[in-house]
Structure formats: C-alpha cells, structure tokens
Amino acid sequence: MSTENTYDVVIVGAGITGAIVANQLAEKGHKVLILEAGVQKSFDFESYRAYLHHYYQNTIKIPNSPYPQNPNAPQPLVTDVGDIEDGIQQFNKDGYFRQYGPAPFQSTYTRAKGGTTLHWLGTCLRMLPSDFKEKDLYDSGKNWPINYYDLMPYYRMAEREIGVSADVEEQAFFGIEFEENYVYPMTKIPQSHLDKKLTEWTKGATFDYEGKTYPYKVVSTPQGRNSNPNPNYNNGEGYQPVGAVGNPDLGQRCEGNSACVPICPVQAKYNALKTLKKAVDKGVVIYSQCVASEILYDEDSGEITGIKYKEYEDFDSLTDTSKPCNYIEKVITAKRYVLAAHAVENAKLMLASGFKNKNIGQNLMDHPVLLTWGLAPEAIGAFRGPGSTSGIPSLRDGTFRKDRSAFRIEIGNWGWNWPAGSPTTELQEGLSKQLFGKELRAFLLDTVQKEFRLGFLIEQQALSNNSVTIDDRYRDELGNYRPIINYNITDHEKEGMLAAKEFSKQFFDALSGTDKTQYSPDKGGFILYKGEELWWQGAGHLAGTHIMGTDKENSVVDKYQRCHEHKNLFLVGCGNMPTMGTSNPTLTIAALSFWAAENISKDLNS
Amino acid sequence: MKITVSERLDWFEKLSVILTGFSRSELLGTGLIEIYLDTIDQHLGEDHVNTLLDSFRKINIQDEEDLTAEESRNIQELVESKSNESITKLVILLWYTGQWYGKNSYIVSSQSYLEGLVWKAIGAHPMGGKQPGYGTWGFPPLTFSS
Ligand SMILES: Cc1cc2nc3c(=O)[nH]c(=O)nc-3n(C[C@H](O)[C@H](O)[C@H](O)COP(=O)(O)OP(=O)(O)OC[C@H]3O[C@@H](n4cnc5c(N)ncnc54)[C@H](O)[C@@H]3O)c2cc1C
Ligand code: SF4
C-alpha cells in the first residue's frame, strides 16, 4: 500500500464545509488535499450541464435525480423509504441506508464533488441566540459550548462566501443581532406574489393556541442566490456576485428557473463548486474517486497517523449506472486531518475506525417537515420563482419549547409539487375525468394556479437512541460500511406537529382559502397522534452524529471543533450541532467551518 | 386505403391540436410533432396508429382550432371509444409531459421535457428551463383565456 505525505492538512469531503476549510487554510499558506468520494468532474460548465440534462430526462424527479447513483460511493434516496404495511414502516432493503425504524429517516445527501449543496434550496437563516442554550432556558435539548455572539463574525464570513441576499431590518427578530451598519452582500430576493397576497389576506389575524396568540407575519427569507449587489456592503466596498463555475457570466442573478432543488441551471444559487474552484486556484489539490475508508490512529496517544482510502478506476456515472469499479487502497498522512463528509458519513468513518467515544453516531437529528396544502382564494401563479421566498417565524421561539418543539414555517412557491407530485397529478386527474383539449387546459389552469403549500420544520431533540451504527454484514460494493439507521420521533416533536397542523387550519381560515391537506395512512411518515392525522417528510438536514460539548462524556468535539480524544483531528458539518433550532443548518455549519479553519491554522502555527 | 407520410403527419397534427387544446403554431413551435408520431408508431405499431388517424379523418373537421358542436360530439365519442381511449390519453400525456407512459416509461429528450405543454397549461414554465427572469415571480400571474 502506498503512503503519501506532503500535505499539512487532509480533508475528507468536497462539500461546502470541506471547501471552506480548504480555501481558508490555503489562504493562510497551508498545503491542503481533499479526498472526494464522487466521480472526477472537471470544473467546466459542460460537465455541470450534463447533470441538468440527466435531471430533464429522469422520470423520477427527486432531489438526487440529476446526480446518478454511484455504486462506489452510494447515496440514500427518498424513494428508499417505502409505505406503511399493517402498521409497520417498510424500507427498501437494497437502499444505501439499512433502516430499522420504527420511524422512517427520510433525508438524503449527495456524494459528488460539490456535495449536497448541489441540490440544496439555499435558505440561509441564522440560528436564534436561544437555540444555543436551550437546556438552560427551557430545560429541553442541550447547550452549545459557544453562543450566538461567538459565532457572529463567522456568520458574516459565511454570508459573504455563500453570497446571501436579504435585508437586515427584516431579519432581526427573536434576539438576532447584527453589527452596527451591517448589510447582507445582496439585497433581498423579491417575495413571490403568493407571499404578498398571504400577507394581505391574513392582515390583523392571529393564530390562537393554548391561550396565546401569535401573528401571521410573513417575512422574506435570506437566500444563497444572487440578486442585486448591495452598494453599502462592507462599509461601502460593495459585493461582486459569483456566477456559474466555468461560465461566470451566467447566474449573476436568479432568473426564476424554479428548479433550485434539485439543480439550478445557471448556478445563480450557491453551490460548493464555487468555493472549491477558489480553493483549487490557491493550490488545493482534490483527489476525486477516492473514498476514505478508515482513519488510522495511535492507540495510546489517540493521534491520527493517516487516512486509508480506496481510489476507484475512471468511471462515467452518467452512463455506467450500476457497474462497480476496481480500486486500489492507499494511505495519506498529514499534520492535521478534517472530516467533512457530512453527518452520517463522518460518524460511519469514525465507527469503522474503531473510535471509542460513545457519542459517535448518536443524537441523529433532522427537521421532520409537516406538510399541509390548499388553495388560495384566487390565482396566485404557482410554479414561479425560487422554491420558497418567505416564511413565518412566529413559532420559532417561546416558553412553549419546554413542552413541545418550535417550528419554522416555510411558504412553498411550487404548488403541491412536494406533497402531491403536482402538476402531473392534476394532469392524470383531468385525464381520468375524460377531459382533453381546451377543457383539460382550463381545468389545469384553474386548479394549479391557486395551489400552495406550507412546510413546518419541526425542531428535533438530540437523543442517544436515534443513531447511525455499522454492522459487518452490510457493506457497499467497495466493501465500505452501509449506514445502519435507528430513528424515531418523540411526543415533544409530535406535540409540535399538532400545533403546526392547528396553525395550518386557522391560517387557511384566516385567508379564506381551502385547506386540501389529506394524508394517506399508508404513506411513510404518517402517524395518528391524539386523534389527529399527521404526516411528515425529511428536510435534508442530517445532524447531530458527533456533537460538540464540554467533554468526551457528553460530546465528540470541543468548541474548537476538535475531537476530544484525537487532538489532530477536526470535524465539521451538521454532525457538530447539539441542537437544531429551527434554521436550516448550512449557514451555521459554514460559519463553524470558518471558525474551525482558523483554529486549525493556529494549531499548525503553534 | 393507402395513407401518405405527409397525410399522416397532417392528421396527427390536427388531432393533436384538438387533444391538447393548443394551437397548431404552438405545437409546431415545439419542433416535436414528427418525433412524437415516431414515438407512438414505435410503441403501438403504425397500423394501430393508422386506425386512430383514420377514424379521426372520417369526422372531417373543418377547423381544428374552432370545432362546431357536432364535430365536438364526434370527437368526444372518438376519445371515449373503447378502442381509442388509451391511445388518446398516451398522446395527451406525451405532449403534456414529454414522457412516454408505457410499460417502460421514459422522457423522450431534454427538449421534450422542456416543451411539455403542462407547464404552459398551468401558466408557468418548465421547472429548470425557459426562465421568465429575475423578480417575475413577484408579479401577479398572467391571466390566460382558456
Ligand atoms: C433537498 C435538500 C434541500 C436542502 N436545502 C437546504 C437549505 O435550503 N438550507 C440549508 O441550510 N440547508 C439545506 N440542505 C442541507 C445542506 O445541503 C447540507 O447541510 C450541506 O450540504 C452539508 O454540507 P457538508 O459539506 O457537511 O456535506 P455535503 O455537502 O454532503 O458534502 C460532503 C462531501 O463529502 C463527500 N464524501 C462522503 N463520504 C466520503 C468519503 N468516505 N470519502 C471521501 N469523500 C466523501 C461527498 O461526496 C460530498 O462531496 C438541504 C438538503 C437537501 C437534501
Ligand atoms: S429560481 Fe432558478 S435561477 Fe433562481 S436559484 Fe432557483 S433554479 Fe436558480
């Protein structure tokens, strides 16, 4: 087995977290290598376009449809979660995850250069100050070893790197503070016609629940997609939007392609290829088609001595969809190591290497998303613009968090596409009514133009039973472990869902819309709780598998993002989060990656 | 009776106008008429397709974009008849989604996905293509006469 040793830092994973750490370290003059499991893809725009065509031509339009399954580095698919049969949740046993339930884990990620931001939506909310000390405030969840104010400067760096569009005045709620004179890099993305109408229709009305009232305040969402540069950014220095990698004139501004998940055709939406390209231009080396399989370490000191990886042969994942490849095993060594392979893969890698910390793999979290949907009183023009441009934050914080989950409400601009497969479903419905020609058109226009949906991102608590483990019997084609998932949701979360469902009912009443939410009891994610039908999906926010804390008893990494027991190993990504809060997590982990890079650099220089 | 290639295409075009509710120029604009007729031939066989086209021909439509009451009744009958129901649905699905809905469903091409008429029918644009431009989603929807 060949061993290479020329780098200061080796990073596993070329997603947003790995890319930020690499770029920052290169900036400081360190020699960096990234091992990436996905296929070799150049940075030219044509190879990105190939993903787009793969998406167009895929009959199943799910988040991973542009990015083909690669047997050498498989990825989970939402379609691996089956129906409920005789009260028991079914799973595709040949899917990448081996799931034991009892509840379905429905979130996925992408194993290709650029990682999961290739198909993220781009929502870039900061976490609330209270999310960092939930244990203290609500005797629920955990505390972070750092607070909002510690993270503030790094949030700014993350907002710059991703290129976030938002207006500061609208984002200072629930104690979120910004430095004086701070503005986002770009002005806010225009709110959709739907957002504006919902504001108008629900004006003055409130959500009444358990003796408290909450406003239906529709607030525009900060987004990692290009709008107009803010001339006041950085004390008047301004901001230069970053267009498509390999075609920088493209994607300077969002064009309303309405396909942010699963792929923005022009890269107006941020993806990690943008940061990776900068890193490579600074000398960072990426080894693609290299799947890290084991972390080698000294039993006595805990020091990491190398990373073993499997490099597989050239392979066109767009055409050779099933054929696994020959590979060779190699070892790479460096002064410092970083795992940035995303929550599940990071945990799996540490378990496969025999790490002893009992918290590894535990506390798996997501934002279970309760979906509701209905019709607006008039045509609002569904299926236009980014997937979501606004949300309702009213229930993101409050003393109720002692007893039930907080949630953020995302307003969806793409009709019932997510909950009901629109518009194909309506087309099939029209055909089953024997409609054709102009009548069919009129039927489709009339129904779909009024459609919208709400998504309630329910905060999930960190629990040891929700976990990623490994089992010698279940391996992928290269002989690497397939993640074993045990997962459930608690009454705390179900109470949150109950409040969400009630919110939805009152909301549709307030706007004089028609609530069309109807769940089928055999669909994965369905539950009956206190007589109420509930149905949730995954948010793609896999988190908590190697949380940060104060010592090795309660956590895997310290506040510097360094492993308690392996001082030359740093972890980045959602796995470090001890609580989820109600923000989509990527802005926060991007901020933490800047923080981690700073700590690694200091450590190397000391 | 022997049907020439151009007659077939002509009838398929007219039938498509009626089945989809889109004008001839809109269908021509997709550049997909011949490809779709080929697709259907390939899966169902030319004879089967000819039977449909022939029953359509017999209705003797004067202006496919503006049917008389009697023509409409005859078309309705044709669409609902046992022998033609499933094939007319396949034709509509093909035009509306760019996808062949057979035993092995597939999308004919990137172009066929992007030209799917369902997007126009709902007053939108295909997800991932034909972008309407920055900020347009903030405007009220266009009202289409149906
Ligand atoms: C549908 C969807 C929508 C989302 N929308 C949002 C949103 O709007 N806002 C938000 O904040 N978040 C969103 N997310 C979550 C977001 O995508 C992730 O939080 C983020 O991409 C995680 O970044 P990462 O760098 O940690 O991991 P990833 O982006 O997953 O990158 C990990 C990289 O590591 C590589 N890798 C994996 N295993 C190995 C190995 N063994 N060896 C070498 N390399 C390996 C992978 O190939 C990949 O390139 C969404 C997720 C999904 C699924
Ligand atoms: S709306 Fe379109 S252009 Fe804008 S980010 Fe989404 S996919 Fe890209």
Side-chain angles (χ1 to χ4, degrees), chain A residues 53 56-57 255 257 384 437 449, chain B residues 19 110 122 128 131 133 138-139:
Chain A
H53 285 277
Y56 288 156
Q57 293 173 33
E255 303 174 353
N257 267 300
R384 298 184 303 153
Q449 283 263 308
Chain B
L19 291 180
S110 293
I122 64 170
Q131 64 276 29
F139 306 153

Side-chain angles (χ1 to χ4, degrees), chain A residues 17 19 38 52 60 79 119 122 142 172 203 241-242 247 265 296 332 335 339 352 384 429 445 487 531 549 562 600 606:
Chain A
T17 55
L52 183 65
I60 302 167
T79 42
H119 75 222
K142 297 183 190 297
K203 200 169 179 186
V242 182
N247 197 349
L296 309 172
I332 184 114
K335 294 174 187 142
L339 300 188
R384 298 184 303 153
E429 193 188 329
L445 187 68
Y487 185 68
R562 181 208 294 256
I600 296 165
S606 69

Side-chain angles (χ1 to χ4, degrees), chain A residues 13 15-17 36-37 108 111-112 116 119 121-123 292 342 540 584-586:
Chain A
I16 181 171
T17 55
E36 168 52 47
T108 63
R111 290 174 92 190
T116 312
H119 75 222
L121 179 58
T123 299
H342 208 347
N584 312 45
T586 310

